[in-house]
Amino acid sequence: MPPARAIRNGSFGVRWLAGAFTAACHATKATVGRILLCLSLAAIFFAALYLPPSALTDQPSYDTVGAIEGEAITVQGPLNIEVVQGRTRTILRSGSDIHVNSGRARIDLIEGGQIVVCGPAHLSVLKSVNLLTLALDTGVIHAHIEGPQPALTIYTAQIQAKPFAIGDAPQDTLVGFDQTGAMCIRADSGAVRVEQQLTAQSIVVPQAGEVLITNGQLETLRSGATHCSCELQMAKTLTPPAPQTEVSRLPTPEEMQKANTEAAKAPAAPPKPAAAKEGPVYQVFMPPLSYDASAKVQSDNFDPRLIVLVRRVRVRPTLIFQGSVKDAPAVAKSASLVVPAKTPETPAPQSQQAQPSIFARIRAFFRSLFS
């Protein structure tokens, strides 16, 4: 019966029971039979009210496995389609058959954790309350379960593998087939109990252990690294992450090396001369000292002659001049101030001649008249 029809019929039945209960209880002449009828109808009425909604539908919630995502997958059998924030999600239910043609597929379990399937792979999922069973035909699966639920069991044609946690640690298990058809089992976190379904033989793969089983026989198992690999993928967030506040931090070695390289390429600026200390620097070197907490007075257990006083001074460099320095003549300096540079200098003897006497001037005057 479809769920809508079942709900409609149940609603009509509840209304009919409520009407019958009201009519019987409001009768004018109440008898013992009518009283018993009222009580019976009341019991049926309240039982119909408290009927769980899952009983009216054919889609119980306890068989839901989780959402599956992948690029090249095919899902057959029971499933649900949901639209969350514009994205379509495929919800696996008990009995779903999954084909991973290539690449990877991720199943986000409703209890928490995830299962990654590396293709090409083929498997079926069965779910009953908190028991999850995977029937693996081909491919590799990597299961990571945080809590105690769901209890996972992996079946193949001959081998049954059941991971279990150690303490409160999560379960992280890889089970699959390599290229040669041998079965590989790896317990990254927790352990795995492996049982041969035909002979009932069982072994436990310890944490961080890895085994390879050929032809489904536990007698042929080998320990060590296998060729199976199927790494977990981080779940994609539906909403973009919120912007984070920038926090100051120390530079990494790569950033420091890059900064040094850029500084070396930049033109070097002339360094500023450091101010040199003109005064001397004194340093005192003393021998090791000791302290006795039990003694009231500390003894001088070192020789003062071992104290060394070092005086450090700055030695100035010696100035050395090369070449010769000559003074200019004093006459040349006075002449250059009065006479231009191009005028020839007057001979010194003419400037120093004696003045003529009075008789010589008169004689010279008469000579100039008769000449």
Side-chain angles (χ1 to χ4, degrees), residues 144-148 164-172 189-190 207:
H144 182 85
I145 301 175
E146 295 289 343
F164 60 91
I166 299 178
D168 296 333
Q171 305 174 32
D172 196 298
S189 178
Q207 183 170 281

Side-chain angles (χ1 to χ4, degrees), residues 54 100 133 205 213 272:
S54 60
V100 180
T133 302
V205 180
I213 303 175
K272 297 181 180 180

Side-chain angles (χ1 to χ4, degrees), residues 313-359:
V313 296
R314 175 175 173 267
V315 180
R316 296 181 178 179
T318 305
L319 299 178
I320 302 176
F321 295 95
Q322 295 181 358
S324 60
V325 179
K326 296 181 180 180
D327 294 335
V331 179
K333 291 184 178 180
S334 59
S336 62
L337 296 176
V338 180
V339 183
K342 296 183 179 180
T343 305
E345 297 180 357
T346 306
Q350 295 180 3
S351 62
Q352 297 180 359
Q353 289 180 358
Q355 298 292 335
S357 62
I358 297 174
F359 296 100

Side-chain angles (χ1 to χ4, degrees), residues 141-144 163 166 169-175 185-192 205-210 228 230-232:
I141 61 175
H142 192 166
H144 182 85
I166 299 178
Q171 305 174 32
D172 196 298
T173 307
L174 182 143
V175 178
I185 301 175
R186 187 179 72 201
D188 293 334
S189 178
V192 182
V205 180
Q207 183 170 281
E210 189 171 4
C228 294
C230 186
E231 301 303 327
L232 292 172

Side-chain angles (χ1 to χ4, degrees), residues 253-342:
E254 292 77 8
E255 293 176 349
M256 295 178 62
Q257 184 177 3
K258 182 179 179 180
N260 295 335
T261 305
E262 294 178 354
K265 294 181 180 179
K272 297 181 180 180
K277 295 182 179 180
E278 298 295 338
V281 179
Y282 295 90
Q283 287 183 320
V284 180
F285 296 92
M286 298 184 60
L289 304 178
S290 63
Y291 175 78
D292 189 2
S294 61
K296 296 182 180 180
V297 180
Q298 302 297 326
S299 59
D300 297 335
N301 54 358
F302 66 92
D303 190 356
R305 292 176 298 179
L306 299 178
I307 300 177
V308 180
L309 178 62
V310 179
R311 179 175 181 267
R312 300 179 184 273
V313 296
R314 175 175 173 267
V315 180
R316 296 181 178 179
T318 305
L319 299 178
I320 302 176
F321 295 95
Q322 295 181 358
S324 60
V325 179
K326 296 181 180 180
D327 294 335
V331 179
K333 291 184 178 180
S334 59
S336 62
L337 296 176
V338 180
V339 183
K342 296 183 179 180

